[in-house]
Amino acid sequence: MGFSLGSLLGGLRSGPDEASVNSVTLFVLLLCSCIVIGHLLEKNRWMTESVTALVIGLCSGIIILLTTEGKSSRLLLFNEEFFFIYLLPPIIFNAGFQVKKKQFFRNFITISLFGAVGSLISFVIIWLGTLQLFKSLDIGFLEVKDYLALGAIFSATDSVCTLQVLNQDETPLLYSLVFGEGVVNDATSVVLFNAIQKFDLSHISSTIAFQFVGNFLYLFLTSTFLGVAVGLLSAYVIKKLYFGRHSTDREVALMVLMAYLSYMVAELFDLSGILTVFFCGIVNSHYTWHNMTESSKVTTKHTFATFSFVAEIFIFLYVGMDALDIEKWNFVSKSPGKSVGVSAILLFLVLVGRAAFVFPLSFVSNLTRRSQSEKIGFKQQVTIWWAGLMRGAVSIALAYKQFTMSGHTQLPGNAVMITSTITVVLFTTVVGGLLTKPLIRMLLPQPKQSSSMLSSETSQKSLTVPLLANGQDSEADLGANHIPRPTSLRMLLARPSRSVHYYWRMFDDACMRPVFGGRGFVPPVLDSPKEDILH
């Protein structure tokens, strides 16, 4: 019995059902290969898991292209709705669920400056730059809405490669800024893109501009409020009904489904699902997670992390395959110089747009920071600038949504934009991903002794108190046990005794936690007779 890749791929033409089974089987096999190879290369100086998946996707695309005699380079047809509905929600929710909330909200102003204001600056630079520089290339007919969409598409960063290298405990400030900016930036870009689709921008006036800004703020605030509301509802239901006493499965299932419901309700009402599910994750980690049994806590944490990990690998693997799609490249094969020119212009504008807000906004942020240790140094600014240069799945999905229909290119001008987007994504991800580890090691070297002590301490803590500090910046996480505490007088002089965080904690302890639960406000729920005896 002979078996070959060609015979298996030949089944793609034998029938729709068999084609789907064959495609999914091969894709799952490639996903497993990405996980195994990524694990083996985990300590490599250059490679990251996202770059590994991208390279495997490219190699698989070449093999499939040769096997099918140049007819196809991928196993599955990309659908932007599939990306936004199934792949993006677990990634964003897990980001909110795992975030160190104290660091995130302590730097919330800086994160908002980078993620929202910075994205708007980058959007304007890319929009105006493409509007002026594309005229000399004669790439085809593009409307004003297309140029605005390009500004939103290439303002969406992908800092996954950098976050895989940064350590949340060793560089908490830098990790918090890069992570928070990435999430807010993605949300801002998607909100901008959706707002562009709703307006007739062929004739821009002051009225339309004000309506555009008002719609943007409405989407931003409403999406955030919806995520918080669904998170609180989930916490209240699980706290009152005590699902875990009877069935951990019901408790976990309800939390997962409520989180996904927040995203789908936002999409149903044309809001930003990214913002909604992100803040739903933050609320769930602050209230809902503490209302669950210990077994449910372990299950939910690993479930969300696993879904997010598989979705990220899936996206990079598919982008690598789709980069060799022959249908798109056929349109630009007669004049490849146009695609190269467009890609070079877009890459240049991404570099300029990123630098135009990172360094000025870092200077503004440093003016509000009293302590020298809390200021963003120049090397950290360079790292933040580098982290946002990479473009990824969000840019690909938005480009498909704007310039294609169901994954197929319709016009030569649209084909140029799709191939140029793929080129920029591949270049920034591969080059940026390969240079991320060496760059960070050069700019932010970590002492070997302290890192080894930190790793031993972390491993010891993980053995004794597993999952205790899920999103809760305990004193042990922040190294409070090893840092000498200042006296009360020094603390009083260093910062005001009545801060915003102080009043929020008072309100949270007095009003929120008694109703919605949380750490210290929910009695321990016993899972088994063994735990009952121990208790």
Side-chain angles (χ1 to χ4, degrees), residues 273-331:
I274 294 179
L275 268 179
T276 299
V277 77
F278 175 70
F279 279 97
C280 181
I282 291 180
V283 173
N284 274 332
S285 69
H286 189 65
Y287 297 109
T288 312
W289 191 78
H290 295 282
N291 299 340
M292 308 173 78
T293 60
E294 294 302 320
S295 59
S296 297
K297 291 179 181 179
V298 175
T299 303
T300 51
K301 180 165 184 174
H302 288 293
T303 298
F304 294 139
T306 302
F307 284 164
S308 174
F309 175 75
V310 173
E312 289 177 3
I313 298 298
F314 184 99
I315 290 169
F316 282 106
L317 181 62
Y318 183 87
V319 169
M321 285 185 178
D322 194 59
L324 301 174
D325 181 31
I326 200 68
E327 178 186 346
K328 303 178 184 65
W329 293 104
N330 281 337
F331 282 100

Side-chain angles (χ1 to χ4, degrees), residues 102-103 105-111 114 171-177 361-378 380-381 384 478 483 486 490-491 493-496 499:
K102 283 185 179 179
Q103 282 292 336
F105 287 105
R106 183 179 299 165
N107 302 295
F108 187 74
I109 295 178
T110 305
I111 290 172
F114 286 156
T171 55
L173 172 62
L174 190 59
Y175 187 95
S176 176
L177 293 179
L361 293 183
S362 297
F363 175 77
V364 173
S365 176
N366 286 338
L367 295 178
T368 63
R369 298 173 181 266
R370 298 183 179 181
S371 174
Q372 189 67 29
S373 61
E374 295 179 353
K375 293 183 182 294
I376 307 172
F378 179 74
Q380 292 177 318
Q381 295 176 29
I384 295 172
L478 298 176
I483 301 176
R490 287 180 59 192
M491 290 181 63
L493 295 176
R495 63 176 56 189
S499 61

Side-chain angles (χ1 to χ4, degrees), residues 220-235:
F220 215 92
L221 297 176
T222 309
S223 302
T224 302
F225 175 78
L226 178 61
V228 173
V230 176
L232 292 177
L233 177 62
S234 173

Side-chain angles (χ1 to χ4, degrees), residues 44-48 161-163 165-166 171 174 178 351 354 359 378-390 428 430-446:
N44 186 276
R45 181 178 180 182
W46 301 94
M47 298 295 288
T48 60
C161 291
T162 307
L163 290 178
V165 180
L166 289 176
T171 55
L174 190 59
V178 173
L351 293 170
R354 182 75 183 167
F359 298 103
F378 179 74
K379 292 183 178 181
Q380 292 177 318
Q381 295 176 29
V382 173
T383 305
I384 295 172
W385 171 76
W386 180 264
L389 291 179
M390 285 167 273
T428 56
V430 173
V431 175
L434 290 176
L435 297 179
T436 293
K437 285 186 178 180
L439 179 68
I440 291 180
R441 288 179 180 179
M442 180 179 67
L443 294 177
L444 306 170
Q446 294 295 328

